[in-house]
Structures are given as structure tokens and as C-alpha cells.
């Protein structure tokens, strides 16, 4: 049986400034199961980042609620991790010291957590770069380091806001597949915001399609590939991949 880790109920949100009101989210409701990988796609500026900010508690919805494991966000002790477009690694710190930064800030440095940091760095091929500065690493390795920094805090939900979009096309494919596999291996529940349909189809268990701003849910598409080895690359090589692409493309195109 799958357990619900995240539930959004009737979320409404608008930005207010001197020029007036910009409605961004209109009645957003969905659920996410533990261990599920959900992607959110929608036209640029429709409200995707706003939605992640609400789930992370950075913004308060005007109405509606965010429940994490059945509890209101503000009462929840569930750890939420955030990964952004830029890896936000500090050049003046080594990779190891970047990875333990979150632990330091949250006063969680201990033999146990430091051992975990070293283990993750080793598992994901970064051991030899522990003493390196971020600029000595490739874009893909930097994103791995950023993911390890997030994973070491043991988040139960990962929010990914266009984490690969700063990379060039080829690197983005490789890194997206790589990071996606790590997240699955670590059995994390992940919510990925992306404008890249192929990325969403290659990684997600379900895709939520949003309308133009103010975003409403247009359609939720379950993604299922009948593969012995369900990897992003294998998905991309199936006929079925194109069908999903065309289906979702059409849904998005209908807004134009
Ligand atoms: P997306 O992530 O889908 O590109 P965003 O969630 O970043 O979209 O933004 C949704 C809409 O809200 C956009 O039209 C944007 O211009 C507007 N917006 C974002 N942040 C602010 C803000 N601080 N004040 C006013 N409007 C904003």
C-alpha cells in the first residue's frame, strides 16, 4: 500500500504589489505518494515555482492547505529538501565543506552525519573531489554534489525547481538521468518542476500539467513504461515515449 506524503487542498495564491494583484495559483489540489516521482509542467510564468515555494513554506497560500503526512505544513516535522537551477555551491569551500554546510547551519554535525556525508560522496563518485573546489568539477558533478548536500539532511520530500536547466542540452540529458536515478535509488519522494517535457517523461511516475497563469490543474497523466530496467535512457528509446510526448504537448498547446 502506498502512503500519502504530500497533499495539497484547494490552494489559491496571488502576488500583491503597487500595480495590483497577480493571481498565480487557482484551486490546486493533488496528492503525492511516498517514494513517488511527480513532475509538474506548464507554460513559462504559469506559477510552477510559486507552487514549490508554497509547499516548502516560503510562501503562505491565501486559502487552502498543504498537508505533509496528514499534518499541516506548519506543524510538520518532515524534512523538505530543495534543489534549484544553480547548484549554489560556494567556491571558497571544498566539495566536502559544501556538502556539510546544511548540517553545520542546522547544528546537526555529528560523527553519524559526517560519516553519512562521506558515504554519500563515495557512493556517488565524489570521494576523490572532497578537497576540490567547485570550479574544478564539471557541471554534472557539481549537481551531484548539490544533491548529496541535500540528501545528507535526509529529506523525506525533495523539491526540484528546474535543477538542470542551466546546463547545456547534452549535459542536461546525462545529469537529469543521473540525478533521477540517484533519487530513485535513495527512495525519495520528489516533485520536479520543469519546462522540459522529455525530462518529465523520462523521470516521472506522474505528470501534472498546469494551465497558463493563474495555474489550474489541466490534467494529471500517469506514466508507465513496461521495461525490465526502467531507466530514463531506456524510456527515451521506446515508442511509447513519443506517445506520451505528443499527448502532453497537445495538452499544453491547447492553451496557446
Ligand atoms: P513559473 O515558475 O511557472 O515560470 P512563477 O511561479 O515563477 O512561474 O511565477 C508565476 C507568475 O507570478 C509570473 O507571471 C510571475 O511574473 C509572477 N510573479 C512571480 N513572483 C512575483 C512577485 N514576487 N511579485 C509579483 N509577481 C510575481
Amino acid at each position: 500500500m502506498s502512503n500519502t506524503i504530500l497533499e495539497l487542498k484547494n490552494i489559491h495564491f496571488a502576488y500583491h504589489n503597487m500595480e495590483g494583484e497577480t493571481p498565480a495559483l487557482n484551486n490546486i489540489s493533488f496528492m503525492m505518494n511516498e517514494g513517488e516521482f511527480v513532475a509538474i509542467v506548464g507554460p513559462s510564468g504559469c506559477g510552477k515555482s510559486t507552487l514549490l515555494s508554497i509547499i516548502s513554506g516560503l510562501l503562505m497560500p491565501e486559502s487552502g492547505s498543504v498537508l505533509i503526512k496528514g499534518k499541516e505544513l506548519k506543524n510538520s516535522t518532515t524534512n523538505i529538501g530543495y534543489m534549484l537551477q544553480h547548484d549554489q555551491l560556494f567556491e571558497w569551500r571544498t566539495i566536502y565543506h559544501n556538502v556539510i554546510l546544511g548540517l553545520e547551519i542546522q547544528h546537526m554535525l555529528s560523527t553519524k552525519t559526517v560519516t553519512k556525508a562521506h558515504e554519500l560522496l563515495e557512493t556517488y563518485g565524489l570521494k576523490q573531489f572532497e578537497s576540490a573546489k567547485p570550479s574544478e568539477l564539471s557541471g554534472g558533478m557539481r549537481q551531484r554534489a548539490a544533491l548529496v548536500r541535500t540528501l545528507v539532511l535526509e529529506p523525506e520530500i525533495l523539491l526540484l525547481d528546474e535543477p538542470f536547466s542551466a546546463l547545456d542540452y547534452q549535459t542536461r540529458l546525462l545529469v537529469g538521468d543521473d540525478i533521477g536515478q540517484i533519487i530513485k535509488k535513495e527512495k525519495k519522494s520528489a516533485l520536479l518542476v520543469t519546462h522540459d517535457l522529455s525530462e518529465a517523461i523520462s523521470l516521472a511516475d506522474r505528470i501534472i500539467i498546469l494551465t497558463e497563469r493563474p495555474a489550474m490543474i489541466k490534467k494529471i497523466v500517469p506514466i508507465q513504461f513496461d521495461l525490465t530496467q526502467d531507466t530514463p535512457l531506456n524510456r527515451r528509446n521506446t515508442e511509447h515515449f513519443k506517445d506520451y510526448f505528443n499527448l502532453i504537448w497537445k495538452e499544453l498547446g491547447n492553451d496557446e
Side-chain angles (χ1 to χ4, degrees):
M1 267 303 286
S2 43
N3 297 319
T4 303
I5 189 154
L6 170 71
E7 182 173 8
L8 270 70
K9 282 186 182 167
N10 311 105
I11 300 286
H12 288 262
F13 182 84
Y15 290 101
H16 297 270
N17 57 27
M18 301 290 269
E19 284 85 53
E21 189 187 67
T22 310
L25 302 173
N26 185 5
N27 203 26
I28 303 282
S29 302
F30 67 87
M31 282 156 94
M32 189 166 111
N33 291 326
E34 247 172 76
E36 199 180 14
F37 200 123
V38 174
I40 298 181
V41 299
S44 154
C46 77
K48 301 183 290 297
S49 298
T50 306
L51 189 58
L52 285 196
S53 296
I54 283 179
I55 297 169
S56 68
L58 291 171
L59 289 174
M60 287 289 291
E62 291 188 325
S63 62
S65 50
V66 177
L67 302 176
I68 313 266
K69 289 188 175 169
K71 283 192 189 155
E72 287 278 347
L73 184 60
K74 60 179 186 296
N75 301 324
S76 165
T77 52
T78 304
N79 195 349
I80 298 181
Y82 223 122
M83 236 180 115
L84 303 163
Q85 183 172 353
H86 295 284
D87 52 49
Q88 323 274 347
L89 297 174
F90 293 114
E91 186 54 27
W92 45 273
R93 288 188 150 227
T94 64
I95 291 300
Y96 170 71
H97 283 101
N98 267 289
V99 160
I100 61 164
L101 182 63
L103 293 172
E104 266 177 47
I105 293 171
Q106 298 195 16
H107 305 290
M108 282 168 61
L109 273 184
S110 67
T111 317
K112 190 170 159 244
T113 55
V114 164
T115 306
K116 170 99 182 160
H118 285 298
E119 277 171 11
L120 284 169
L121 282 162
E122 177 156 18
T123 307
Y124 296 117
L126 290 164
K127 191 177 164 60
Q128 80 225 62
F129 298 111
E130 280 195 6
S131 313
K133 292 290 166 61
S135 60
E136 296 171 58
L137 272 65
S138 66
M141 281 303 194
R142 291 174 64 117
Q143 278 299 14
R144 270 192 174 206
L147 179 62
V148 167
R149 182 186 51 194
T150 310
L151 290 177
V152 82
L153 296 167
E154 307 207 322
E156 287 177 77
I157 302 178
L158 272 174
L159 302 179
L160 310 164
D161 195 353
E162 302 261 11
F164 318 120
S165 57
L167 304 168
D168 64 77
Y169 179 71
Q170 211 166 355
T171 314
R172 196 165 79 218
L173 273 181
L174 293 171
V175 177
D177 289 5
D178 178 52
I179 297 290
Q181 301 246 53
I182 297 175
I183 291 170
K184 281 189 184 156
K185 184 161 177 274
E186 298 286 328
K187 299 194 168 53
K188 296 293 170 195
S189 316
L191 196 58
L192 165 76
V193 156
T194 181
H195 64 267
D196 186 333
L197 280 191
S198 302
E199 190 172 285
I201 300 165
S202 66
L203 293 169
D205 300 312
R206 261 189 314 149
I207 298 183
I208 297 176
I209 305 171
L210 300 178
T211 64
E212 296 270 3
R213 188 183 67 76
M216 289 190 295
I217 293 187
K218 184 152 198 204
K219 198 174 185 119
I220 299 184
V221 183
I223 305 289
Q224 174 101 50
F225 284 89
D226 193 15
L227 288 164
T228 11
Q229 274 201 307
D230 189 8
T231 65
L233 190 65
N234 288 349
R235 283 187 178 194
R236 286 178 202 268
N237 288 329
T238 62
E239 267 299 301
H240 210 29
F241 191 89
K242 218 166 48 193
D243 299 336
Y244 278 127
F245 191 97
N246 290 338
L247 173 87
I248 299 167
W249 181 255
K250 212 168 112 220
E251 288 293 340
L252 286 168
N254 284 343
D255 282 324
E256 284 162 9

